Amino acid sequence: MVNKEELLRLLYLMVKVRRVEECLVDIFSQGKIPGFIHVGIGQEAVSAGVCSCLRERDVVFTTHRGHGQALAKGIDLNRFMAEIYGRRDGFCKGKAGSMHIASREAGVAGSNGIVGGGLPIAVGNAFAAQYRNEDRVTVCFFGDGASNEGTFHESLNLAALWNLPVVFCCENNGWAQFTPQKVYMKLQNISKRAESYGMIGVTVDGDDVLMVREEAEKAVERAIRGMGPTLLECKTHRWLGHYVGDPQKYRTTEEVEEVRKFDPIIRFQKYLLENKHVDRQYLDGLEAGIKMEIEEALAFAENSPIAPAEELFTDVYA
Amino acid sequence: MVNKEELLRLLYLMVKVRRVEECLVDIFSQGKIPGFIHVGIGQEAVSAGVCSCLRERDVVFTTHRGHGQALAKGIDLNRFMAEIYGRRDGFCKGKAGSMHIASREAGVAGSNGIVGGGLPIAVGNAFAAQYRNEDRVTVCFFGDGASNEGTFHESLNLAALWNLPVVFCCENNGWAQFTPQKVYMKLQNISKRAESYGMIGVTVDGDDVLMVREEAEKAVERAIRGMGPTLLECKTHRWLGHYVGDPQKYRTTEEVEEVRKFDPIIRFQKYLLENKHVDRQYLDGLEAGIKMEIEEALAFAENSPIAPAEELFTDVYA
Amino acid sequence: MRETRYIRAIAEALHEEMARDEDVFVVGEDVGGPGGAFSATKGLMEAYGERRVRDTPISESAIIGLAIGAAAEGLRPVAEVMFADFLTVCMDQLVNQMAKTRYMFGGMYTLPVVVRAPGGAGLNAGPQHSQSLEAWFAHVPGLKVVSPATPYDAKGLLKSSIRDDNPVIFLEHKALYGSKGEIPDEEYLVPLGKADVKRIGKDVTVVAASRMVHEALDAAKDLSKDGIEAEVIDLRTITPLDRETIFTSVEKTSRLVVAHEAVKAFGIGAEISAMVTEEMLDHLDAPVLRVGAPFVPVPFNLERYYLPNARDIAAAVRRVMEY
Amino acid sequence: MRETRYIRAIAEALHEEMARDEDVFVVGEDVGGPGGAFSATKGLMEAYGERRVRDTPISESAIIGLAIGAAAEGLRPVAEVMFADFLTVCMDQLVNQMAKTRYMFGGMYTLPVVVRAPGGAGLNAGPQHSQSLEAWFAHVPGLKVVSPATPYDAKGLLKSSIRDDNPVIFLEHKALYGSKGEIPDEEYLVPLGKADVKRIGKDVTVVAASRMVHEALDAAKDLSKDGIEAEVIDLRTITPLDRETIFTSVEKTSRLVVAHEAVKAFGIGAEISAMVTEEMLDHLDAPVLRVGAPFVPVPFNLERYYLPNARDIAAAVRRVMEY
Ligand SMILES: Cc1ncc(C[n+]2csc(CCOP(=O)(O)OP(=O)(O)O)c2C)c(N)n1
Ligand SMILES: Cc1ncc(C[n+]2csc(CCOP(=O)(O)OP(=O)(O)O)c2C)c(N)n1
Ligand SMILES: [Mg+2]
Ligand SMILES: [Mg+2]
């Protein structure tokens, strides 16, 4: 059972992720951020549910839609924001941007611009833990679309074979870019694919943060106890387009509206209110606090200098 | 049911494949063939069982251990042998060698030196049949080891999704080069992986040619009728080393002896004898005929000229 | 003539070739509906339907394999790989299969495959979405490599590539997608293997490819003010390389600068430089200089320092002029 | 000193480095038991056990990803890819991940990975098992590329590569595996980034890599009979390229031939030629000539016509001498 403190933390993480991403949509649309960004608004329960049961030393591999995953794992918001701005105080000195944010301290191993590209590397991370007998777990996030890449197959197979301490978390939002799942795969439940590797596979309602949390805890437990990897599929909904600015001509306005009814935050708030864990005032206070956190982060990012030209040549070789 | 004529043809194919490969071992050991070769002695029931239910216009994609697959599909033995010798009259003018034999006339699309490399191409071949509404089926052979490559996953997934007329035939001999299956995968039955794609998967005793034939027929039937692909796993045994000359230090002499008891030819001959389809004299006659076929092919290959230097520069571009 | 964007020119080529030949089909991720990440295939699904416009799972190796297998049977696939950087994900299919099939099987197969992929930096897309990898493919016998700089060439070269009986790696530049240029109303082709003199000059030859053609033209304009008349050659096709056009120009100018966006080291500029000095050393009045990206990955935030530009080209030209 | 085969020198390097550093482990297909396809890892399983000698499924992308992930955590993986041609199967992991990780994350990670892979033709192994692909990797910032020609260098360079904190593509030559050479009994290292003058000469510089070093030495012997003294430089490391050793030699000889087994077009010879003419045009008494394979895949049956050899090198040298 998740205790009250943890319930409140789950709420905090979800709301924070939502507000940060709303802010990113905003500032991106204002042209303040270079490149392109992908947000996971509507998918917050997955990041929060999974990452909230991890310790600092546990490591997550995130995706191109990975802001939530990184934030829920506890990455510092200021330096996160600076990275997205491409500034010197970003975690990667601004060389990474939204698509490749990482932080060693926070156990965010970095997100990948190659769909499926992070999976084999996450296996390597878990391998290092096993090799050194470290008490930690690796979580690798990826999308429904990514489960069709060859690397998915090779990575899960190897991890299962070697019984590595890793959880493969499929954030299934039903879309790969502009194409719905039913167009590009025959299976509905991606967790079914676990059987191909002799691995445990589980599908949960990814908009129910408590269910995500529950299954994630079990998977993490199994991994740490040497019982091998799990394929945990969380079914969720992508509210916005593939990238910020995507006109989404491939789905109707009704569909776009429709998915909002799965709002994992409203759902969880209702649960908390009904069970008297929080009241409206608490929610307001939480929102206000997060707002200030974000404002601070924006200020930090905007005041951080752009990296000098010399930085172009550093970090190529050790 | 397989009629008598077909039973005899199965026997012919198996014996022919065996004798040809025995001959290849011989002449390779005499240094007559350049490069390296892989033989599938002990695995003849798979090629024979599967290819015997194909028509000329059906197409097979073979593997590095693909002599049997090509021969059972009806490739001309003379030009086959010339190719292995690297001679001008080989199917590929000698540019291919043992590892890449192909023949359009015989519907042998060519074997691949990249493990798993042929799978996506076979899917493309089946796609062309579907695109043009041609009444034919594609069979793609591959090994147990190959089922761990990313291309296996991508290919089966796509073929199932598009309901393509293809049969994926896994010739599971329990070894990938020097490593036994249990070391490199957790699953025993590779056919189980079909479920990951919403595909039918079947495992048969690959040393029982009639069982192979029966399941192959069903799979071919499904493919042609638009009922989609099948993953057909045939469990068989590799008698010799990975390549000719492999000292096989990784298995004991007992193990090497042991596998011979699964001899698919002796088993089938017994069945035919018991059921009075053939007698000993018939078997002798068959052997004698095949021997002469092979001698003729050897003579053809050895008399075929080595390709001239100019051939180096042809066939690069159309 | 009418003005068209580079990306629309590509779409037009696809439309026309699909209309012309039933064997042409398009395959890739998201190529239906909105027409791929950059809308190059927009409208094809409406026009030609699901049979000929194939949305795939995210499986680049399967996409290329599909194209190879289908082409060997006589179809003419045009496969889209969303970013040129992702060609790495299907490199075996491209290099060990597609490029070698014809040779390996002694001419048994003909593979009219086009693989379209946008390369290049300039959109702050970071190190995994910005590379220029033409030099790799140019090093692979069996492939043709095409790389258009203008809408006119993009359309004409793509049509020729689709009609060509060989595998073609067709490298578009994503930062050029929005650029405009004139194209004829009537049908036309641009032949593969022919470079194009985009500007006539007598003092120095600048050989460029893809986006660098425009930087070279800008540089030429600038240099002209100082009385230096640069001849700008747009390679258009990397392999087969149009040696003749380059040699003819250098014979006239005796000076050569080569510019490409890819990393300079071991890039295509090296081949052109080596080839020209090999054949016409005594004709050269100055060393061949190369302009290319520094030996670093493409940074998200420092592209403006990273990208070679007209200034760099002009500087190189001045150096060879003053030599 | 004692005589050792190239393949045993590699095995020795692995043994010594595994003994020295517990973080070093070996991963690849069949690397246990018989020690891989060419027995480079023979004996390691007995000595270091299953924990440090990891037999994998046939999944090259997983192998390289594993190495990257483990290295980022401080381990020092040595991954074996059975043939260099199969590097294509894991090209994304090598190029988009391994090469870029450090840069992309602003120096956050150090990746001491060695990827060993045998390249080259000469065993009639056909087009998919015989390629020399060093030019590709040399074009990728973030990678080091090493390519030893002798047992001595193979051992010393592999040890240095394992100790290096960067990803190294270590390209062995399978036709050299059986070749013999002297190596010291005591421990030694050969530094990365340093070419080696394998023969001193005054008339012409021959820069070569891998197996072509031996062909160059044979050619030099032959040329010597005609009074032509060739200086033979073995690159050993392709990146970082040892410009200095090359420049110093060419300063002395004023003539350069570059030889490699890879396809000549767009190969590493182009870079070396371009670099030298860029920097020392006026010093050259003749064009830089390149010797490399023709622009065709490697045929199964016609290798003897395909492979560049001592005769080709000698012919090129004669041409630059007579120029
Ligand atoms: C190898 C590769 N292929 C294609 C892409 C382009 N791409 C980026 S995100 C994406 C869709 C991914 O879908 P999914 O895995 O479900 O993640 P989601 O975007 O839904 O979070 C695609 C096709 C890529 N980045 N890498
Ligand atoms: C991509 C790739 N990786 C590795 C190899 C080397 N190799 C050739 S055959 C083989 C074993 C294949 O095992 P399996 O698929 O079971 O086929 P079998 O040899 O048993 O018929 C290996 C590892 C290869 N040719 N291609
Ligand atoms: Mg998705
Ligand atoms: Mg096998």
Side-chain angles (χ1 to χ4, degrees):
Chain A
M1 266 304 297
V2 183
N3 66 29
K4 179 163 173 185
E5 192 188 332
E6 287 171 310
L7 288 173
L8 299 183
R9 182 159 171 75
L10 283 172
L11 178 67
Y12 165 72
L13 290 176
M14 286 167 73
V15 176
K16 176 168 165 180
V17 167
R18 171 78 54 92
R19 300 301 167 239
V20 168
E21 290 210 310
E22 285 170 348
C23 163
L24 289 178
V25 171
D26 230 49
I27 58 175
F28 182 84
S29 309
Q30 291 166 36
K32 289 190 178 173
I33 310 178
F36 45 95
I37 64 170
H38 310 88
V39 297
I41 291 180
Q43 307 182 192
E44 299 84 358
V46 183
S47 312
V50 172
C51 293
S52 66
C53 51
L54 301 178
R55 300 150 304 174
E56 210 170 50
R57 64 177 175 278
D58 298 325
V59 174
V60 301
F61 283 74
T62 62
T63 67
H64 57 283
R65 203 177 303 290
H67 304 136
Q69 299 147 7
L71 290 168
K73 185 61 175 63
I75 206 169
D76 176 71
L77 183 59
N78 289 358
R79 297 191 60 198
F80 167 95
M81 199 64 92
E83 186 57 45
I84 290 179
Y85 270 77
R87 300 298 169 87
R88 207 188 56 191
D89 297 308
F91 277 110
C92 311
K93 308 181 188 166
K95 287 178 180 173
S98 158
M99 206 156 35
H100 307 287
I101 295 174
S103 157
R104 277 206 105 123
E105 310 87 87
V108 177
S111 59
N112 212 294
I114 306 296
V115 166
L119 286 151
I121 306 174
V123 172
N125 184 277
F127 172 82
Q130 188 190 63
Y131 189 89
R132 291 182 159 159
N133 208 3
E134 289 166 359
D135 167 35
R136 62 178 184 82
V137 64
T138 308
V139 174
C140 184
F141 288 99
F142 61 98
D144 41 314
S147 77
N148 301 301
E149 280 283 7
T151 49
F152 166 88
H153 181 66
E154 296 189 11
S155 304
L156 271 73
N157 191 40
L158 190 62
L161 179 69
W162 291 354
N163 223 32
L164 297 177
V166 53
V167 177
F168 296 101
C169 181
C170 181
E171 199 160 328
N172 183 350
N173 59 13
W175 288 88
Q177 202 148 313
F178 315 140
T179 308
Q181 189 185 343
K182 66 171 186 303
V183 168
Y184 68 79
M185 63 194 289
K186 228 171 145 181
L187 275 192
Q188 287 204 330
N189 284 357
I190 290 165
S191 67
K192 172 102 188 126
R193 292 190 164 166
E195 294 171 22
S196 271
Y197 316 109
M199 189 187 292
I200 293 175
V202 186
T203 297
V204 295
D205 178 348
D207 293 331
D208 181 337
V209 71
L210 290 178
M211 275 191 56
V212 173
R213 165 74 182 228
E214 193 181 319
E215 289 301 333
E217 263 182 354
K218 287 191 221 160
V220 165
E221 187 76 10
R222 276 193 294 272
I224 291 175
R225 290 205 178 175
M227 292 159 72
T230 301
L231 171 53
L232 173 62
E233 176 187 25
C234 303
K235 293 215 170 169
T236 181
H237 297 85
R238 193 189 82 194
W239 289 16
L240 303 185
H242 171 61
Y243 53 87
V244 175
D246 174 2
Q248 295 200 74
K249 294 221 175 109
Y250 46 85
R251 49 178 180 174
T252 64
T253 341
E254 293 87 75
E255 281 176 294
V256 171
E257 290 304 319
E258 189 78 342
V259 294
R260 298 192 180 231
K261 74 169 190 242
F262 297 101
D263 191 333
I265 295 180
I266 292 188
R267 196 161 150 187
F268 190 50
Q269 283 174 336
K270 220 166 122 188
Y271 166 86
L272 294 174
L273 289 166
E274 275 167 12
N275 288 277
K276 306 259 188 292
H277 291 304
V278 300
D279 56 18
R280 285 279 162 205
Q281 282 66 31
Y282 179 92
L283 297 182
D284 291 346
L286 187 71
E287 291 280 2
I290 286 169
K291 194 159 174 246
M292 286 183 274
E293 253 195 281
I294 293 173
E295 273 162 14
E296 189 194 305
L298 284 177
F300 178 86
E302 290 182 6
N303 288 326
S304 172
I306 286 174
E310 304 87 74
E311 272 300 330
L312 183 61
F313 300 101
T314 63
D315 305 322
V316 185
Y317 291 96
Chain B
M1 265 305 297
V2 183
N3 65 30
K4 179 161 171 187
E5 191 189 335
E6 288 171 312
L7 287 174
L8 298 184
R9 181 160 170 77
L10 282 172
L11 178 68
Y12 165 71
L13 290 176
M14 286 169 73
V15 176
K16 175 168 166 181
V17 167
R18 171 78 54 90
R19 300 301 167 239
V20 168
E21 290 210 312
E22 285 170 348
C23 162
L24 289 176
V25 170
D26 230 49
I27 57 175
F28 182 84
S29 310
Q30 291 167 36
K32 289 190 180 173
I33 310 178
F36 44 95
I37 65 170
H38 310 88
V39 297
I41 291 181
Q43 308 182 191
E44 298 84 357
V46 182
S47 313
V50 172
C51 293
S52 65
C53 50
L54 300 178
R55 300 152 303 176
E56 208 169 51
R57 64 177 175 280
D58 298 324
V59 175
V60 300
F61 283 75
T62 61
T63 67
H64 58 283
R65 203 177 304 290
H67 303 137
Q69 299 147 7
L71 290 169
K73 183 63 175 62
I75 206 168
D76 176 71
L77 184 59
N78 288 358
R79 297 190 60 198
F80 167 95
M81 199 63 92
E83 187 57 46
I84 291 179
Y85 269 77
R87 300 298 168 88
R88 208 188 55 191
D89 297 308
F91 277 110
C92 311
K93 308 181 189 165
K95 287 177 177 172
S98 157
M99 207 156 36
H100 308 286
I101 294 176
S103 157
R104 277 205 107 124
E105 310 87 87
V108 177
S111 61
N112 212 295
I114 306 297
V115 166
L119 286 151
I121 306 173
V123 171
N125 184 276
F127 172 82
Q130 189 190 62
Y131 188 90
R132 292 182 158 160
N133 208 5
E134 288 166 359
D135 168 36
R136 62 178 184 83
V137 65
T138 308
V139 173
C140 183
F141 287 99
F142 60 99
D144 42 313
S147 78
N148 300 299
E149 281 283 8
T151 48
F152 167 88
H153 182 66
E154 296 189 11
S155 304
L156 271 73
N157 191 40
L158 191 62
L161 179 70
W162 291 354
N163 223 33
L164 297 178
V166 51
V167 177
F168 296 102
C169 181
C170 180
E171 197 160 329
N172 184 351
N173 59 14
W175 288 89
Q177 202 146 313
F178 314 140
T179 307
Q181 190 185 343
K182 66 173 187 301
V183 168
Y184 68 78
M185 63 193 291
K186 230 172 145 179
L187 275 194
Q188 287 203 331
N189 283 356
I190 290 164
S191 67
K192 171 106 188 123
R193 293 190 164 164
E195 295 171 22
S196 271
Y197 316 108
M199 189 188 292
I200 293 176
V202 185
T203 296
V204 295
D205 178 346
D207 293 330
D208 181 337
V209 69
L210 291 178
M211 277 189 56
V212 172
R213 164 76 182 226
E214 192 181 322
E215 289 301 332
E217 263 182 355
K218 287 190 219 159
V220 165
E221 186 76 11
R222 277 193 293 272
I224 291 175
R225 290 204 179 177
M227 293 159 72
T230 301
L231 171 52
L232 173 62
E233 177 187 25
C234 304
K235 293 214 171 171
T236 181
H237 298 85
R238 193 189 82 196
W239 288 16
L240 303 185
H242 171 61
Y243 53 87
V244 175
D246 173 2
Q248 296 200 74
K249 295 224 173 105
Y250 46 85
R251 51 178 180 173
T252 62
T253 340
E254 292 87 74
E255 282 176 292
V256 171
E257 289 304 319
E258 189 78 344
V259 295
R260 298 193 180 229
K261 73 168 189 244
F262 297 101
D263 192 333
I265 294 180
I266 291 190
R267 198 160 148 187
F268 189 51
Q269 283 174 336
K270 223 164 118 186
Y271 166 86
L272 294 175
L273 289 166
E274 275 167 11
N275 289 277
K276 308 258 188 290
H277 291 303
V278 299
D279 57 17
R280 285 278 161 206
Q281 282 64 30
Y282 180 92
L283 296 182
D284 291 347
L286 188 71
E287 291 280 1
I290 287 170
K291 194 158 171 245
M292 287 182 272
E293 254 195 280
I294 294 173
E295 273 162 16
E296 187 194 308
L298 284 176
F300 178 84
E302 290 182 5
N303 289 325
S304 173
I306 287 175
E310 305 87 75
E311 271 300 331
L312 183 61
F313 300 101
T314 62
D315 305 323
V316 184
Y317 292 95
Chain C
M1 297 291 267
R2 62 203 152 79
E3 205 174 52
T4 305
R5 290 189 195 276
Y6 186 99
I7 187 76
R8 299 319 313 153
I10 286 168
E12 279 184 27
L14 294 170
H15 267 284
E16 290 179 15
E17 292 306 301
M18 288 186 79
R20 194 184 56 83
D21 183 348
E22 240 244 313
D23 286 337
V24 177
F25 70 98
V26 161
V27 59
E29 294 155 18
D30 303 297
V31 291
F38 298 99
S39 82
T41 57
K42 199 158 104 181
L44 295 180
M45 182 66 101
E46 286 79 349
Y48 303 102
E50 287 189 353
R51 175 165 164 268
R52 298 181 61 197
V53 181
R54 312 292 304 209
D55 267 332
T56 68
I58 311 181
S59 319
E60 287 80 3
S61 291
I63 294 169
I64 304 303
L66 183 97
I68 297 168
E73 290 294 315
L75 299 181
R76 307 189 85 85
V78 182
E80 177 174 301
V81 171
M82 208 181 281
F83 284 77
D85 314 67
F86 310 161
L87 294 170
T88 54
V89 173
C90 46
M91 202 67 179
D92 167 59
Q93 291 294 319
L94 296 168
V95 169
N96 289 329
Q97 314 298 339
M98 190 167 85
K100 297 182 177 36
T101 291
R102 184 177 179 76
Y103 192 80
M104 187 156 80
F105 296 122
M108 194 177 290
Y109 295 104
T110 300
L111 289 189
V113 181
V114 177
V115 178
R116 294 181 40 245
L123 305 185
N124 295 100
Q128 296 175 331
H129 285 73
S130 306
Q131 291 165 90
S132 297
L133 300 173
E134 68 280 0
W136 286 359
F137 299 105
H139 191 44
V140 178
L143 300 178
K144 295 191 178 181
V145 183
V146 176
S147 177
T150 65
Y152 178 91
D153 288 336
K155 181 172 177 183
L157 288 167
L158 182 52
K159 284 172 66 88
S160 294
S161 298
I162 293 172
R163 296 183 193 190
D164 196 277
D165 274 339
N166 296 285
V168 176
I169 307 283
F170 194 87
L171 296 168
E172 300 160 14
H173 196 300
K174 64 180 95 66
L176 291 179
Y177 276 153
S179 67
K180 289 180 188 164
E182 298 274 299
I183 64 171
D185 292 314
E186 57 282 6
E187 189 176 28
Y188 69 99
L189 297 170
V190 173
L192 304 191
K194 284 295 305 165
D196 186 38
V197 180
K198 286 270 188 308
R199 182 184 196 277
I200 294 176
K202 58 177 186 11
D203 301 321
V204 56
T205 301
V206 180
V207 169
S210 192
R211 207 170 73 72
M212 283 304 119
V213 171
H214 303 286
E215 298 293 327
L217 289 169
D218 284 352
K221 229 184 278 171
D222 188 47
L223 291 160
S224 182
K225 291 181 205 149
D226 298 345
I228 300 171
E229 293 306 331
E231 178 143 308
V232 178
I233 297 179
D234 176 359
L235 281 178
R236 299 201 295 199
T237 302
I238 316 292
T239 30
L241 190 62
D242 182 356
R243 298 160 56 95
E244 220 170 279
T245 300
I246 299 171
F247 287 151
T248 307
S249 177
V250 176
E251 229 156 74
K252 174 169 67 177
T253 63
S254 303
R255 291 181 161 86
L256 175 61
V257 167
V258 190
H260 54 66
E261 185 183 316
V263 161
K264 177 181 154 189
F266 301 90
I268 62 164
E271 177 64 32
I272 293 163
S273 166
M275 175 186 100
V276 168
T277 32
E278 226 162 64
E279 304 272 337
M280 41 197 318
L281 180 70
D282 295 335
H283 224 94
L284 287 174
D285 289 342
V288 178
L289 292 190
R290 292 175 289 156
V291 175
F295 200 61
V296 307
V298 187
F300 166 64
N301 58 344
L302 299 169
E303 277 193 343
R304 69 185 168 294
Y305 304 123
Y306 175 86
L307 279 171
N309 58 28
R311 261 198 328 269
D312 301 325
I313 297 170
V317 166
R318 290 205 166 84
R319 275 182 57 208
V320 300
M321 292 308 298
E322 286 157 17
Y323 188 82
Chain D
M1 298 291 266
R2 64 202 150 79
E3 205 173 54
T4 305
R5 288 188 195 275
Y6 186 100
I7 188 74
R8 297 322 310 153
I10 286 167
E12 280 184 26
L14 293 170
H15 267 283
E16 289 179 17
E17 292 306 299
M18 288 188 79
R20 193 184 57 82
D21 184 349
E22 240 244 313
D23 287 339
V24 177
F25 70 96
V26 161
V27 59
E29 293 155 19
D30 304 297
V31 292
F38 298 99
S39 83
T41 56
K42 199 158 102 182
L44 295 178
M45 181 66 101
E46 286 79 348
Y48 303 103
E50 287 189 352
R51 176 166 163 268
R52 297 181 62 198
V53 181
R54 312 292 303 211
D55 266 332
T56 68
I58 311 181
S59 319
E60 287 80 4
S61 291
I63 293 169
I64 304 302
L66 183 99
I68 297 168
E73 290 294 315
L75 298 182
R76 307 189 85 85
V78 182
E80 176 173 304
V81 171
M82 208 180 280
F83 285 77
D85 313 68
F86 311 161
L87 294 169
T88 53
V89 173
C90 47
M91 201 67 180
D92 167 60
Q93 291 294 319
L94 295 169
V95 168
N96 288 329
Q97 315 297 339
M98 189 167 85
K100 297 182 177 39
T101 291
R102 184 177 180 78
Y103 192 81
M104 187 156 80
F105 297 122
M108 193 177 288
Y109 295 103
T110 300
L111 288 189
V113 182
V114 177
V115 178
R116 293 181 41 244
L123 305 185
N124 296 99
Q128 296 176 331
H129 285 73
S130 305
Q131 291 165 92
S132 297
L133 300 173
E134 67 280 359
W136 285 0
F137 298 105
H139 191 44
V140 178
L143 300 178
K144 294 190 177 181
V145 183
V146 176
S147 178
T150 65
Y152 179 91
D153 288 337
K155 180 172 177 185
L157 288 167
L158 182 51
K159 284 172 66 87
S160 294
S161 298
I162 293 172
R163 296 184 193 188
D164 196 277
D165 274 339
N166 297 287
V168 176
I169 307 283
F170 193 87
L171 297 168
E172 301 159 14
H173 197 299
K174 64 180 96 66
L176 291 178
Y177 276 152
S179 68
K180 289 181 188 166
E182 297 274 300
I183 65 171
D185 292 315
E186 58 281 6
E187 189 176 28
Y188 69 98
L189 296 170
V190 173
L192 303 191
K194 284 296 301 165
D196 185 39
V197 180
K198 285 269 190 306
R199 181 184 197 278
I200 294 177
K202 60 178 184 13
D203 301 320
V204 55
T205 301
V206 180
V207 169
S210 192
R211 206 170 74 71
M212 282 305 118
V213 171
H214 303 286
E215 298 293 326
L217 290 169
D218 284 352
K221 228 184 278 168
D222 188 48
L223 290 161
S224 183
K225 291 181 205 149
D226 298 346
I228 301 171
E229 293 305 331
E231 178 142 309
V232 177
I233 297 179
D234 176 0
L235 282 177
R236 297 200 295 202
T237 304
I238 315 290
T239 32
L241 190 61
D242 183 355
R243 300 160 56 95
E244 222 169 278
T245 300
I246 299 170
F247 287 151
T248 307
S249 178
V250 176
E251 230 156 75
K252 177 170 65 175
T253 63
S254 303
R255 291 181 162 87
L256 175 62
V257 168
V258 190
H260 53 67
E261 186 183 317
V263 160
K264 176 182 157 190
F266 300 90
I268 63 166
E271 176 64 31
I272 293 164
S273 166
M275 175 185 100
V276 167
T277 31
E278 223 162 68
E279 305 272 336
M280 39 198 321
L281 180 69
D282 295 336
H283 223 94
L284 287 173
D285 289 343
V288 177
L289 292 190
R290 293 176 288 156
V291 174
F295 200 60
V296 307
V298 187
F300 165 65
N301 58 344
L302 300 168
E303 277 193 343
R304 72 186 167 291
Y305 304 123
Y306 175 86
L307 279 171
N309 59 27
R311 259 196 330 266
D312 301 324
I313 297 171
V317 166
R318 290 205 165 85
R319 274 182 58 206
V320 301
M321 292 308 299
E322 286 159 15
Y323 188 82

